Amino acid sequence: MSKKPSLSHELTEQLRVREGFDLASFDRGARPGLKGGSSAAEDLLVEQGGILDELQEKLYAHGRSGGTRSVLLVLQGLDTAGKGGIVRHVVGLVDPQGVSIRSFGVPTEEERAHDFLWRIRRALPQPGRIGVFDRSHYEDVLVARVDELVPPDVWESRYDLINDFEAELVAAGTVVVKVALMVSYEEQGERLAERLERPDKHWKYNPGDIDTRLRWDDYQEAYQAVFDRTSTPHAPWHVIPADDKRYARLAVSQLLVEALESLDLDWPQADFDVAAEKERLEATRR
Ligand code: AMP
Ligand code: MG
């Protein structure tokens, strides 16, 4: 048996939420599907870069020639879970021209005047693009539920609305990749401590992060409900153990590779006569 670091072909399967998924017993320090340790994950991510880059360029070319497909990567996770690192280290592996990244914070007054999906719809990727949501419509059944920002009957009704919305997206040609990065309570404590310790990380710290941490159990319950109620065949959730950042990045890169491969795109056919154009170019020779 080879000792070479590698990623299992079943990785996506292993991370996908299925019936009976139990967040409370989920091991956040595991590296499912990875043969090798954390540094192997880092090396493998470099290899993934080339693969992702070519697949993304094909998607972009497809969009430029009238194609309608797109990919939407939805990133969820509590503070310090590593959402920003995914954007930087995984999404950063492809041409920024083909990517649209949106972060969702506390809704503005204008956004609050509309239904919760309004700002989401406006941020959807154009055909040919990879859209990335750093937080998403799921905040409207997470923080909104835990902090009681709306009455229970309102957030209750949102799970079905979200499923219908995502079904609509998928029917229109978007592959929806939903990723929840799950850190342990201990690891989150360490990451917050580091943010407080290092002046170059203070900008990432928010005193409200401690209030959120105090509601840890309520958030776990709210996340469990998200997985139970919105992991659908057309848009399943993938829960990523995120105590090892390098593993989490590799895992998300593989989910993106598979999403792009599922589009099964070829390079678009030239809409001109290649031979004739070669002759015309030849004729310009001086
Ligand atoms: P960060 O991602 O660290 O910049 O933080 C963004 C903050 O905005 C988090 O505390 C989220 O819980 C909050 N947030 C995002 N979406 C919503 C929403 N729909 N309603 C209320 N708060 C939200
Ligand atoms: Mg934050």
Side-chain angles (χ1 to χ4, degrees):
M1 264 219 336
S2 144
K3 287 229 175 67
K4 205 169 170 287
S6 66
L7 203 56
S8 157
H9 294 300
E10 278 98 57
L11 176 90
T12 305
E13 286 291 311
Q14 283 171 273
L15 298 173
R16 185 176 302 148
V17 167
R18 42 192 84 260
E19 188 122 10
F21 174 83
D22 177 37
L23 184 59
S25 58
F26 183 73
D27 180 359
R28 293 141 200 248
R31 297 184 196 97
L34 175 64
K35 195 155 72 166
S38 190
S39 64
E42 192 166 29
D43 294 344
L44 287 166
L45 184 60
V46 175
E47 287 175 29
Q48 291 281 87
I51 300 168
L52 255 184
D53 191 49
E54 182 174 338
L55 286 164
Q56 182 270 331
E57 192 178 343
K58 259 186 195 158
L59 174 59
Y60 191 74
H62 162 86
R64 287 292 297 262
S65 49
T68 58
R69 310 302 308 273
S70 61
V71 171
L72 176 64
L73 175 65
V74 174
L75 295 174
Q76 279 294 153
L78 292 176
D79 299 304
T80 77
K83 301 184 292 294
I86 297 292
V87 173
R88 182 170 173 169
H89 297 279
V90 180
V91 181
L93 293 170
V94 306
D95 183 349
Q97 279 192 95
V99 179
S100 70
I101 301 165
R102 270 296 307 269
S103 305
F104 293 97
V106 177
T108 61
E109 200 178 318
E110 187 190 24
E111 288 169 348
R112 271 200 310 275
H114 295 86
D115 80 282
F116 76 105
L117 291 173
W118 181 77
R119 64 175 183 165
I120 304 296
R121 290 184 187 278
R122 289 160 54 97
L124 291 171
Q126 299 292 309
R129 303 296 165 95
I130 299 177
V132 181
F133 284 179
D134 175 352
R135 302 189 193 265
S136 65
H137 42 299
Y138 285 98
E139 291 294 325
D140 295 284
V141 287
L142 289 164
V143 66
R145 169 178 167 151
V146 171
D147 284 352
E148 300 174 53
L149 303 179
V150 293
D153 61 311
V154 173
W155 58 255
E156 262 298 330
S157 68
R158 288 178 174 167
Y159 299 97
D160 288 344
L161 293 169
I162 287 173
N163 289 336
D164 291 347
F165 166 65
E166 291 177 356
E168 205 185 290
L169 280 187
V170 171
T174 303
V175 178
V176 179
V177 183
K178 300 192 295 198
V179 167
L181 299 165
M182 287 292 155
V183 279
S184 63
Y185 189 74
E186 296 68 31
E187 179 67 20
Q188 188 193 51
E190 281 173 29
R191 291 184 188 177
L192 287 171
E194 193 189 8
R195 287 184 181 185
L196 283 170
E197 216 47 63
R198 290 177 46 179
D200 64 319
K201 298 234 174 186
H202 286 170
W203 68 274
K204 288 191 187 182
Y205 185 85
N206 177 343
D209 296 351
I210 302 292
D211 302 298
T212 305
R213 181 166 166 81
L214 284 166
R215 313 295 304 269
W216 181 270
D217 292 341
D218 294 333
Y219 272 103
Q220 301 305 307
E221 199 181 304
Y223 266 103
Q224 178 74 55
V226 161
F227 302 142
D228 290 343
R229 299 182 62 178
T230 66
S231 206
T232 53
H234 55 271
W237 273 102
H238 296 90
V239 184
I240 319 286
D243 279 1
D244 179 347
K245 290 178 183 177
R246 296 188 285 188
Y247 169 78
R249 290 170 191 163
L250 178 66
V252 176
S253 76
Q254 182 59 22
L255 294 178
L256 264 186
V257 163
E258 288 183 26
L260 288 161
E261 281 175 347
S262 76
L263 295 171
D264 200 18
L265 299 175
D266 285 319
W267 293 110
Q269 293 269 322
D271 58 3
F272 47 84
D273 181 338
V274 177
E277 292 305 308
K278 281 185 181 165
E279 273 176 35
R280 290 183 62 223
L281 177 61
E282 189 59 32
T284 66
R285 213 192 256 271
R286 287 184 176 170

